[in-house]
């Protein structure tokens, strides 16, 4: 039986977050430039989105470019930005056909103008779609997101909109970029690295973590299904005992 056939559709994680890692190493193994890995990483993105849509996953959030990634060689940064523009352009039709709503989180104003325009245009075009919400984390840093939320809450207190007593976990969560999404239940990282790398630190408090040695350009929907199956075999206790949960 394929991984997909073994998945219990009634116990799907509603929100899956992925740290797509290993594009550079994948290209290097093949004696190619790093950007070759990023280009092939896009094929994985397409396949994984398709897998998520097939299953009925509601939210998929991809770590596409971190705030720290701006420190990479200028040529690589430019190539990734160009790749993003061309990919978004090419994928809009596919998103419309598959009822995918595109979304983005991060310091989006840091993106080159053309990239920002294409992105906001695609977000607007797909905004009425009701299927999978595909969020790209771009120029994203979880710590910065937390600072941003803190400043926003402080401002709301200062203006009298809310009282200090109103601040709780729920309110804090709603002030994050992901405020209108449920927290991810499953976080996947490829390439054999065991790190979170400043990704969704608040939101993954109770997420199940899944690490695979596969490099991102080799990751396909079958790998996503395998990760979901692994998730479904775990017991999520949220601090309770096994007996209480069962
Ligand atoms: C991590 O691999 C990958 C990135 C920083 C870029 C990810 C971008 C894409 C897959 C393009 C996606 C585009 C869209 C529109 C979704 P790495 O370069 O850190 O690999 P390494 O750890 O082997 O060096």
């Amino acid at each position: 039986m394929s991984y997909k056939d073994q998945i219990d559709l009634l116990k799907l994680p509603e929100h899956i977050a992925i740290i797509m890692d290993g594009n550079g190493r994948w290209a290097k193994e093949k004696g190619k430039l790093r950007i070759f890995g990023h280009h092939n990483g896009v094929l994985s993105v397409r396949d994984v989105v398709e897998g998520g849509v097939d299953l009925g996953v509601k939210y998929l959030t991809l770590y596409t470019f971190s705030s720290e990634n701006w420190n990479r060689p200028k040529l690589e940064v430019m190539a990734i930005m160009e790749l993003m523009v061309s990919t978004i352009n090419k994928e809009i039709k596919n998103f419309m056909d598959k009822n995918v709503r595109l979304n983005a989180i991060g310091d989006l104003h840091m993106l080159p103008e053309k990239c920002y325009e294409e992105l906001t245009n695609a977000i607007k075009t797909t905004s009425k779609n009701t299927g999978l919400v595909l969020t790209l984390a771009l120029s994203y840093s979880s710590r910065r997101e937390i600072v941003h939320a803190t400043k926003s809450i402080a401002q709301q207190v200062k203006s009298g909109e809310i009282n200090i007593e109103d601040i709780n976990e729920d309110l804090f969560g709603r002030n994050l970029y992901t405020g209108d999404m449920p927290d991810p239940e499953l976080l996947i990282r490829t390439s054999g690295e065991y790190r979170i790398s400043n990704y969704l630190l608040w939101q993954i408090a109770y997420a199940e973590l899944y690490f695979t040695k596969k490099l991102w350009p080799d990751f396909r929907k079958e790998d996503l299904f395998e990760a979901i199956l692994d998730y479904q075999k775990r017991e999520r206790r949220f601090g309770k005992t096994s007996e209480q949960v069962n």
Side-chain angles (χ1 to χ4, degrees):
M1 224 187 343
S2 71
Y3 289 129
K4 189 181 175 200
D5 293 336
Q6 296 174 62
I7 290 175
D8 181 349
L9 294 177
L10 298 174
K11 291 187 186 154
L12 273 186
E14 196 180 6
H15 185 173
I16 300 175
I18 307 184
I19 302 177
M20 311 182 286
D21 196 14
N23 293 353
R25 275 164 284 165
W26 186 88
K28 200 172 169 197
E29 273 177 7
K30 295 178 164 43
K32 306 271 193 188
L33 296 175
R34 295 176 56 82
I35 189 65
F36 183 68
H38 298 316
H39 273 269
N40 281 275
V42 171
L43 305 181
S44 304
V45 170
R46 187 178 298 139
D47 205 58
V48 163
V49 168
E50 206 175 282
V53 170
D54 287 352
L55 285 181
V57 171
K58 191 70 194 121
Y59 298 91
L60 183 64
T61 301
L62 304 178
Y63 206 0
T64 308
F65 196 83
S66 71
S67 298
E68 292 77 19
N69 285 153
W70 291 116
N71 299 321
R72 290 192 172 195
K74 218 174 168 169
L75 264 180
E76 181 175 346
V77 171
M78 273 167 56
I80 292 179
M81 292 300 144
E82 275 169 27
L83 179 61
M84 215 122 64
V85 171
S86 64
T87 304
I88 290 169
N89 243 319
K90 268 193 233 150
E91 292 301 314
I92 288 191
K93 187 178 174 314
N94 202 14
F95 291 159
M96 296 311 287
D97 289 347
K98 292 195 161 16
N99 197 20
V100 170
R101 175 156 73 83
L102 186 68
N103 180 34
I105 54 172
D107 290 330
L108 303 182
H109 61 272
M110 296 275 290
L111 297 171
E113 207 177 312
K114 179 84 184 129
C115 193
Y116 181 81
E117 267 174 26
E118 290 292 341
L119 182 70
T120 45
N121 179 40
I123 289 173
K124 206 169 150 201
T125 307
T126 61
S127 63
K128 298 258 177 343
N129 290 348
T130 54
L132 176 85
V133 179
L134 172 65
T135 301
L136 304 181
L138 286 168
S139 189
Y140 176 84
S141 147
S142 184
R143 285 184 169 181
R144 282 195 203 175
E145 178 187 30
I146 289 169
V147 171
H148 179 267
T150 307
K151 283 186 180 166
S152 161
I153 292 168
Q155 194 60 49
Q156 291 163 48
V157 172
K158 197 173 164 193
S159 68
E161 216 177 304
I162 59 168
N163 296 313
I164 287 191
E165 294 71 33
D166 296 328
I167 302 173
N168 55 28
E169 290 181 20
D170 184 52
L171 180 123
F172 198 89
R174 277 188 278 118
N175 277 275
L176 294 168
Y177 299 143
T178 52
D180 54 353
M181 296 183 218
D183 287 341
E185 295 102 325
L186 173 62
L187 171 73
I188 300 171
R189 182 173 191 144
T190 60
S191 91
E193 306 285 359
Y194 302 94
R195 284 191 293 275
I196 302 300
S197 301
N198 205 4
Y199 192 43
L200 303 174
L201 298 178
W202 173 279
Q203 297 89 333
I204 60 162
Y206 282 101
E208 296 295 328
L209 309 182
Y210 180 88
F211 299 98
T212 168
K213 287 206 160 47
K214 276 218 174 163
L215 304 175
W216 178 250
D218 287 329
F219 194 90
R220 287 293 180 270
K221 59 171 94 159
E222 269 303 300
D223 300 295
L224 175 73
F225 299 154
E226 187 179 6
I228 294 174
L229 258 185
D230 188 273
Y231 160 85
Q232 291 191 334
K233 289 187 187 128
R234 300 189 193 181
E235 183 183 66
R236 306 191 73 213
R237 291 199 294 272
F238 302 99
K240 295 184 182 167
T241 66
S242 191
E243 289 70 25
Q244 283 176 304
V245 174
N246 292 310

